[in-house]
Amino acid sequence: MRGPGHPALEATTTPFKEISLSRMKDLLLKGLPPEQRAKGALVLLAIVGVLILAKPFNLIPDFLDELPQHTYQSSINKEIQEIKRTELVPIGAALEWTFYYLRDDLHVSVVTRFFSTSLKALVDVVHNILSGGRKGFGLDAPPWSALLVIALTLGYALKGWRLSLLGGGTVCYFAIFGLWTYAMTTLAYLAVAVPISIIIGLFLGIWCYKKKSVEVSILPILSVAQTMPHFAYLIAVVVFFGIGHQTGVIATIIFAVPPMVRLTLLGLQTISPEIVEAGKMAGCTSRQLLFRVQLPSARNEIMIGINQVIMQCLAMVVIAAFIGADGLGFRLLHKLIALKLGECVEIGFAIVLLALVLDGLSKAWAEKKRDYRANLPFYRRYKYSILLVVLVAIAYILASYFPILNKIPRDLDITYAKSWDGFIDWTVVNWQTRDFRYIMLVHILTPLRDALLFMPFIAIMVLVAGVGLLLGGYYSALLTLGFLLFIALAGWWDRAMITLYMVLFSTFICIVVGIPLGLWSAMREKRARTALFWCDTFQTFPSFIYIIPAIMLFRVNDFTAIMAVVAYAMVPAVRYTVEGLKNIPPELHEAVTMAGCNKRQRLLQLQLPVALPHIMLGVNQTVMFAFSMVIIAAFVGTIDLGQSIFKALSETALGKGVTLGLCVSFMALTVDHLVVRWARERRRLLGLD
Amino acid sequence: MNTTSLQPVIRCQTLYKIFGITSDQLQKDSQGLIDPSYRDRQGVVTAVDNVSLDVSDGELLVVMGLSGSGKSTLVRCLSRLIEPTSGSIEIEGNDLLAMSEKELIELRRNKMGMVFQNFALLPHKTVLENIAFPLQMRGMKRAEFVERAMKMIALVGLDEKENSFPRELSGGQQQRVGIARSLAVEPDIWFLDEPFSALDPLIRKEMQDEFLRLQSMLKKTIVFITHDFDEALKLADRIAIMYHGNIEQIGRPEDIVLNPATEYVAKFTSDVPREKVLTAGSVMDERKEQEALASKSVRIDDLVETIAEYVLGQSIPVPVVDAQDQIVGVLHQARMLEILFHERAGPSGS
Ligand SMILES: Nc1ncnc2c1ncn2[C@@H]1O[C@H](COP(=O)(O)OP(=O)(O)OP(=O)(O)O)[C@@H](O)[C@H]1O
Ligand SMILES: [Mg+2]
């Protein structure tokens, strides 16, 4: 027994115990404090290393090494893997049963069919107004010159002659290259999907803002929805709504709503509380408060949301071609399958132009400053509307005299696809991408993939959950573990690893190229602006478009997919780097200048550390983009989850498709959770929020 | 309404606002009593701590205190922009906390106005529209509210700026828009949260004078928050000093300076120029029999600041007279010097 005479003994033992206990508790609750993470990471790596090294010595039991899973056929190794048992837990079957139960037994199909028929009617009407035909009201198509003057006037009224020319040029492009009807179909879908998405998004956003419980339940759904691959949606939509034009529109709406909800909510939540109070003190009812104070104050975010909705809709309308939605996307898909690359380029340009015009118009409209000086005479206040009416009338009259202004004849057959084909043939002969491709595939990509596949699955689980524990305590650890466990139990582990390797590799290239590019751009104000301009431009392109040049240069294989992913996912890496550096407060720069730093010191001591959280958010976006693109790129032939999703789509295998979609989504969310968590904490520590 | 002239316009009693804990939770856990152990919890801030005060009709109460002492929170409770955790508030005898949403809206439309510390201008509205906004909410006709708003714009000296957006204005200009906005509805009860803080000294003085002029005409009931003691002295009927959510002392300016109730108030007021606070009446001595007095007298409510030079120029004591020209006391030169130059002379004159 320790008597009171041994205080030294007491002092050495109990506090030590207490410290380690409280430390363990802290680690569980909050993760490691930043200064101890390096140590923690080393320990973690050691554990993972041991797990990996144990495998060759047969120390890892089978069930911790590889899980029973779906079989796949490797196109690279040209070997057929042994058929193993299927999934551990029948997640896919369970989902499938639930969906069909909902549809058939609970008669959800009655509702969905109602939606689908009313939407179909709506699409038909809009389509009819834009391009004639027998459906809808049976109106005649307006002359293309009328659309031309509308585009010209709108562009001019909202921004200026540049946008005006871009809009006019795009309309002419459609007309000249024989894409008119396709473009009008695409426009008709957009005209229906965009307003509906905006209204639903606004409504949900406001609802989330008003009710915390709604926010808590909707936000995770939105996260999953935003990371779920497009094709996985399509399967569900097809099952519930059938095949047809309207199905494409529905898929588009589902896809475009989440960002609108998020941005509406963000806008409402970031209004300074004093402004709301000022509204209350003015005696607003809650309705007046919403419509006259809160929504207008959140205008910026809502406008960004609307712009995003438009761009997302365009991207999805293209992809909806896979379930038979007509329009430019359908045409593109057709030609792509036939490998008529020249024509693909021609259509691709049309889609890109449309994207640029819509983006330009919506942004200009959002930024448009209203002119408040009252008492303008009628004709000056409405000068553009009047101009528009007059011009359209003139277009109609002229079109009735000159048929060429009414409709460009089909047999004109103007195209430049042939010259592209020639160019592509030339590149195939002259640019020896084949050796390059071969080296990449055989010496870099395949070993990387095999390494990931070799790792016992328990090692990866421990690695990810450990990182979660270090960064955010038990919550992060359990969340990420849950995500991975789903993939493991669903029986798609190996495919998920193949997807992961493509994403990792693409992200790696994006970082290696994109961040230095961003750093270089941010050095000069003018360069930075140019870089941001190009980022903006590239970001408007629908994802599917990026596949065309990749196929042109590298034909069809894993490497092509990766190149398309890299091209698409590079943008956020560059953009966030530039923004992160530009947003450093000028006083900090002045302070560093006064301390006598040279350029290199400035970069290493100030710019990189302060901008790092933002750059990491960019990397996170890159990963998210990569996950979404990798699935689309599966179209050019990979053997990852994407390919399985495609197969599921063609078989309308609902349960399987959704399970696969969730797998992709959960992988993306794992990365997202960890990176965003770290970046937020870092920003807070730096006092940047 | 059952308002008598004696009844205070604003009366609040045992008011608490505790952040970081819902009042339901608190009530449930402590049976209606505010348990001091709650304050030590992490994330719990007691912003208003057992405050009771009355503001009578036409009175201007200035609330002072260090940053974070709960001034803004107090007026937010008084206007019920935030729900107090416990306590009662009566506005003209009506229970504010029992009012329905509708009554509250009526009250704010017709009786209350507030100027916000950070201006709180609606970013999407021009200066004119911002000022007209409360008028619109009252359902005023367009021509009418435009005219009224233009008048307010002229009053705060922002002519020509009516079509600018808040983001195009300087801090001081924005603040004046905020003042004009709440002035436009001519509220009977007016809460001003540091309304002149962003103004330059010249405009600030102008606005204070304008404010005094309006107040002498309109006699509103006002709660005015400021950090500036000079401003407080110039405007206040009474001053309340807050510290950690408590009101340490509330009273007339000279009472606070001469008789600080607590250590904290004494420290807080130690740098106040006393000649600006004290009146002849509060520092005079009793008249001794047959004392020779100076020929010209001073009034009982004259500030020491204004009479010091005259008193010190005399060799014999100066008589102090009340409103009826009766001599009620005398001022000695020695006492005057003590007031002016011995800052911590202590409240011997009471
Ligand atoms: N919405 C809130 N949630 C949590 N705490 C709050 C909130 N509003 C205020 N507080 C806290 O209440 C305390 C009092 O804040 P208040 O704004 O009333 O101070 P103030 O006296 O107006 O200060 P200042 O002179 O800086 O304006 C502060 O400690 C503040 O952090
Ligand atoms: Mg305040």
Side-chain angles (χ1 to χ4, degrees):
Chain A
M1 253 195 70
R2 277 198 304 265
H6 295 93
L9 199 59
E10 261 181 44
T12 45
T13 52
T14 41
F16 178 72
K17 233 185 192 167
E18 260 168 35
I19 286 174
S20 63
L21 262 183
S22 73
R23 257 209 196 155
M24 286 306 282
K25 204 175 136 203
D26 273 0
L27 174 65
L28 270 181
L29 287 180
K30 298 192 282 248
L32 274 189
E35 60 276 6
Q36 292 174 12
R37 281 207 194 120
K39 242 202 258 162
L42 276 184
V43 174
L44 181 64
L45 279 183
I47 298 174
V48 173
V50 168
L51 282 174
I52 296 174
L53 287 181
K55 182 171 171 178
F57 299 102
N58 284 329
L59 290 174
I60 304 264
D62 256 2
F63 68 97
L64 289 180
D65 176 11
E66 254 183 287
L67 291 162
Q69 48 190 288
H70 293 279
T71 166
Y72 68 88
Q73 195 176 348
S74 165
S75 64
I76 295 183
N77 294 351
K78 296 276 183 266
E79 74 197 35
I80 297 171
Q81 304 265 321
E82 273 297 298
I83 295 182
K84 297 180 190 144
R85 282 150 296 149
T86 50
E87 56 206 310
L88 264 183
V89 179
I91 293 176
L95 277 173
E96 179 131 348
W97 183 84
T98 317
F99 281 128
Y100 281 106
Y101 181 77
L102 276 177
R103 190 184 82 168
D104 300 332
D105 297 277
L106 292 184
H107 302 290
V108 172
S109 58
V110 179
V111 183
T112 54
R113 212 169 299 143
F114 168 75
F115 269 119
S116 126
T117 36
S118 26
L119 260 185
K120 187 168 161 51
L122 200 59
V123 172
D124 282 344
V125 167
V126 177
H127 194 227
N128 175 243
I129 292 174
L130 280 174
S131 68
R134 260 162 290 120
K135 289 178 181 160
F137 296 141
L139 297 173
D140 276 338
W144 72 273
S145 48
L147 231 82
L148 175 64
V149 295
I150 290 177
L152 285 171
T153 331
L154 257 183
Y156 186 75
L158 289 175
K159 187 88 175 260
W161 58 269
R162 271 170 201 261
L163 189 55
S164 170
L165 285 186
L166 182 65
T170 306
V171 172
C172 291
Y173 188 99
F174 294 156
I176 291 171
F177 293 108
L179 297 169
W180 189 256
T181 44
Y182 309 112
M184 287 309 112
T185 312
T186 298
L187 265 185
Y189 291 160
L190 287 178
V192 174
V194 169
I196 296 182
S197 309
I198 291 174
I199 291 170
I200 297 179
L202 267 179
F203 172 78
L204 285 180
I206 293 168
W207 199 24
C208 286
Y209 175 68
K210 297 232 153 156
K211 279 227 167 52
K212 189 79 195 160
S213 55
V214 177
E215 185 191 336
V216 172
S217 46
I218 282 190
L219 284 188
I221 300 180
L222 291 186
S223 301
V224 174
Q226 277 184 302
T227 43
M228 189 99 156
H230 309 63
F231 298 114
Y233 280 107
L234 291 183
I235 306 173
V237 173
V238 167
V239 167
F240 278 93
F241 297 91
I243 285 209
H245 302 321
Q246 74 281 7
T247 318
V249 175
I250 290 169
T252 306
I253 292 171
I254 298 177
F255 188 65
V257 163
M260 187 72 202
V261 180
R262 269 181 199 280
L263 280 159
T264 307
L265 183 62
L266 179 74
L268 289 173
Q269 280 175 340
T270 48
I271 303 173
S272 122
E274 262 198 356
I275 286 184
V276 180
E277 289 177 339
K280 284 187 185 160
M281 281 313 280
C284 288
T285 60
S286 61
R287 199 209 189 88
Q288 283 171 325
L289 197 64
L290 180 64
F291 286 104
R292 305 187 67 157
V293 176
Q294 290 170 317
L295 284 182
S297 298
R299 185 169 181 270
N300 279 347
E301 283 80 7
I302 291 177
M303 286 301 176
I304 297 173
I306 291 177
N307 174 266
Q308 293 233 331
V309 165
I310 296 176
M311 301 332 288
Q312 299 276 27
C313 280
L314 185 58
M316 192 63 187
V317 158
V318 175
I319 289 175
F322 280 92
I323 51 169
D326 234 333
L328 290 171
F330 194 66
R331 186 101 180 126
L332 176 63
L333 186 62
H334 236 75
K335 300 293 171 192
L336 211 50
I337 290 171
L339 272 182
K340 291 191 174 163
L341 290 181
E343 289 182 57
C344 287
V345 174
E346 204 171 87
I347 305 164
F349 262 121
I351 296 176
V352 164
L353 280 173
L354 184 59
L356 287 176
V357 172
L358 291 176
D359 182 60
L361 286 177
S362 61
K363 275 198 185 134
W365 176 61
E367 281 158 18
K368 185 113 188 106
K369 208 179 136 179
R370 277 173 297 169
D371 195 356
Y372 274 95
R373 282 173 214 282
N375 298 329
L376 280 180
F378 177 81
Y379 63 90
R380 284 203 36 207
R381 182 175 298 188
Y382 298 105
K383 61 182 172 195
Y384 290 122
S385 315
I386 297 171
L387 182 69
L388 187 64
V389 171
V390 171
L391 285 180
V392 170
I394 292 176
Y396 263 94
I397 295 168
L398 285 182
S400 64
Y401 289 105
F402 306 98
I404 187 94
L405 287 180
N406 190 15
K407 199 168 178 192
I408 300 257
R410 270 285 176 89
D411 47 21
L412 217 57
D413 224 9
I414 300 175
T415 171
Y416 60 86
K418 296 274 167 349
S419 37
W420 272 104
D421 280 334
F423 171 72
I424 293 163
D425 289 342
W426 181 83
T427 59
V428 170
V429 178
N430 290 296
W431 289 0
Q432 287 302 332
T433 59
R434 185 198 275 163
D435 293 344
F436 179 54
R437 247 158 46 206
Y438 180 79
I439 293 172
M440 286 302 277
L441 270 175
V442 173
H443 293 294
I444 297 178
L445 294 179
T446 314
L448 182 65
R449 190 195 66 184
D450 291 343
L452 270 179
L453 288 175
F454 171 79
M455 273 171 84
F457 101 95
I458 187 74
I460 292 177
M461 300 275 259
V462 168
L463 180 65
V464 172
V467 172
L469 189 66
L470 292 183
L471 286 179
Y474 77 99
Y475 175 76
S476 299
L478 287 185
L479 189 73
T480 49
L481 206 59
F483 284 154
L484 292 192
L485 213 54
F486 178 90
I487 300 169
L489 295 182
W492 295 105
W493 186 264
D494 277 5
R495 295 235 167 178
M497 286 305 115
I498 298 175
T499 302
L500 187 64
Y501 111 83
M502 293 207 283
V503 168
L504 285 184
F505 188 73
S506 323
T507 309
F508 174 73
I509 297 184
C510 288
I511 290 174
V512 171
V513 179
I515 292 183
L517 190 63
L519 290 177
W520 179 78
S521 310
M523 285 201 294
R524 298 240 190 298
E525 182 58 27
K526 209 170 147 202
R527 245 189 258 158
R529 250 181 291 133
T530 320
L532 287 180
F533 168 79
W534 282 111
C535 285
D536 278 344
T537 310
F538 282 123
Q539 216 158 18
T540 58
F541 297 178
S543 39
F544 201 72
I545 293 296
Y546 286 86
I547 291 191
I548 304 172
I551 294 189
M552 272 166 54
L553 289 178
F554 305 107
R555 299 287 129 161
V556 177
N557 53 44
D558 262 25
F559 188 64
T560 313
I562 286 179
M563 279 300 123
V565 175
V566 166
Y568 181 64
M570 182 79 78
V571 174
V574 178
R575 161 192 294 265
Y576 278 70
T577 308
V578 176
E579 281 176 356
L581 288 184
K582 268 184 74 174
N583 291 346
I584 295 174
E587 310 90 77
L588 285 184
H589 272 294
E590 286 164 4
V592 173
T593 311
M594 288 311 287
C597 280
N598 62 26
K599 255 191 184 152
R600 205 174 59 93
Q601 285 167 326
R602 177 187 303 267
L603 183 69
L604 291 181
Q605 302 294 332
L606 170 71
Q607 291 174 309
L608 274 184
V610 175
L612 193 60
H614 200 72
I615 296 178
M616 280 311 284
L617 287 179
V619 171
N620 185 46
Q621 279 299 304
T622 295
V623 177
M624 297 302 113
F625 275 41
F627 268 113
S628 113
M629 191 63 190
V630 113
I631 303 303
I632 298 175
F635 174 70
V636 296
T638 54
I639 52 162
D640 68 335
L641 291 172
Q643 189 216 24
S644 310
I645 295 181
F646 265 105
K647 239 173 99 204
L649 179 61
S650 62
E651 298 160 357
T652 18
L654 180 57
K656 191 169 146 198
V658 174
T659 314
L660 286 162
L662 286 176
C663 287
V664 178
S665 167
F666 287 169
M667 273 198 287
L669 286 177
T670 305
V671 177
D672 181 66
H673 175 82
L674 295 176
V675 176
V676 170
R677 185 158 187 123
W678 178 85
R680 288 242 176 88
E681 177 197 86
R682 196 76 210 134
R683 284 178 68 96
R684 217 185 42 241
L685 288 179
L686 287 172
L688 290 178
D689 277 334
Chain B
M1 211 168 287
N2 54 353
T3 342
T4 65
S5 61
L6 284 177
Q7 191 182 34
V9 175
I10 305 171
R11 150 165 283 183
C12 86
Q13 270 166 332
T14 58
L15 194 70
Y16 283 90
K17 178 65 204 183
I18 303 179
F19 287 112
I21 186 170
T22 66
S23 68
D24 288 348
Q25 199 180 339
L26 195 74
Q27 234 100 55
K28 203 175 79 210
D29 292 1
S30 62
Q31 287 95 37
L33 297 168
I34 305 292
D35 180 354
S37 71
Y38 274 108
R39 306 195 185 164
D40 307 331
R41 283 211 197 159
Q42 220 190 2
V44 172
V45 180
T46 311
V48 173
D49 188 357
N50 194 6
V51 165
S52 303
L53 55 82
D54 292 345
V55 189
S56 46
D57 193 18
E59 186 184 24
L60 197 160
L61 174 72
V62 168
V63 181
M64 299 194 71
L66 297 182
S67 199
S69 56
K71 307 178 297 292
S72 302
T73 310
L74 175 64
V75 296
R76 285 203 163 84
C77 288
L78 296 181
S79 54
R80 212 178 148 197
L81 285 172
I82 54 181
E83 285 307 312
T85 310
S86 79
S88 71
I89 301 171
E90 282 175 21
I91 301 289
E92 295 179 339
N94 303 316
D95 186 354
L96 181 73
L97 301 179
M99 282 187 190
S100 68
E101 189 64 33
K102 225 171 133 199
E103 288 170 313
L104 211 55
I105 287 173
E106 277 311 299
L107 182 77
R108 287 175 180 154
R109 281 188 184 173
N110 301 316
K111 274 218 149 33
M112 275 185 183
M114 181 151 170
V115 176
F116 290 88
Q117 186 169 4
N118 302 313
F119 325 144
L121 302 181
L122 306 180
H124 58 286
K125 289 184 182 286
T126 60
V127 168
L128 182 86
E129 290 172 314
N130 257 296
I131 297 175
F133 185 64
L135 301 172
Q136 277 175 301
M137 290 301 104
R138 282 179 157 193
M140 209 182 243
K141 294 258 168 353
R142 185 185 166 87
E144 246 177 292
F145 70 62
V146 168
E147 191 198 320
R148 174 112 192 106
M150 288 306 285
K151 219 153 116 202
M152 290 302 124
I153 290 174
L155 189 71
V156 295
L158 283 178
D159 320 65
E160 308 279 297
K161 291 274 180 208
E162 67 268 18
N163 282 320
S164 312
F165 282 94
R167 57 174 178 277
E168 299 161 352
L169 301 179
S170 75
Q173 289 169 329
Q174 291 183 22
Q175 190 159 41
R176 281 184 274 162
V177 177
I179 297 170
R181 175 175 65 187
S182 80
L183 203 54
V185 290
E186 297 201 324
D188 297 334
I189 304 169
W190 204 9
F191 301 108
L192 298 118
D193 196 347
E194 303 188 25
F196 303 147
S197 60
L199 304 181
D200 62 70
L202 270 181
I203 295 187
R204 178 192 289 234
K205 184 166 177 320
E206 243 171 62
M207 296 292 291
Q208 286 168 349
D209 292 339
E210 183 64 33
F211 182 76
L212 277 178
R213 190 181 66 77
L214 282 174
Q215 174 62 357
S216 67
M217 275 171 11
L218 305 171
K219 280 287 165 206
K220 314 236 173 241
T221 307
I222 297 173
V223 179
F224 189 111
I225 297 177
T226 178
H227 277 291
D228 177 354
F229 229 112
D230 280 344
E231 187 168 84
L233 297 177
K234 191 167 173 185
L235 307 174
D237 293 323
R238 282 193 302 157
I239 296 181
I241 310 268
M242 283 188 85
Y243 179 60
H244 282 327
N246 276 308
I247 290 197
E248 292 275 299
Q249 189 173 6
I250 182 165
R252 292 181 307 134
E254 59 251 49
D255 287 344
I256 288 192
V257 173
L258 284 179
N259 306 319
T262 64
E263 195 93 346
Y264 176 75
V265 177
K267 235 167 83 191
F268 195 83
T269 55
S270 64
D271 283 340
V272 177
R274 315 170 125 240
E275 66 275 14
K276 289 189 177 166
V277 192
L278 302 179
T279 57
S282 60
V283 299
M284 67 189 180
D285 293 318
E286 246 170 65
R287 184 183 184 189
K288 294 201 187 87
E289 285 297 314
Q290 305 306 330
E291 205 172 10
L293 295 180
S295 53
K296 217 172 125 216
S297 59
V298 296
R299 291 193 158 275
I300 192 166
D301 53 359
D302 280 338
L303 282 176
V304 169
E305 186 184 22
T306 57
I307 56 172
E309 200 182 343
Y310 165 68
V311 174
L312 290 177
Q314 304 296 313
S315 51
I316 44 177
V318 175
V320 181
V321 299
D322 63 9
Q324 284 79 41
D325 270 340
Q326 294 290 315
I327 294 183
V328 289
V330 297
L331 277 176
H332 292 285
Q333 282 73 31
R335 176 92 177 107
M336 209 68 197
L337 285 173
E338 193 183 293
I339 301 279
L340 288 178
F341 297 111
H342 297 266
E343 297 213 327
R344 268 170 268 270
S348 63
S350 57

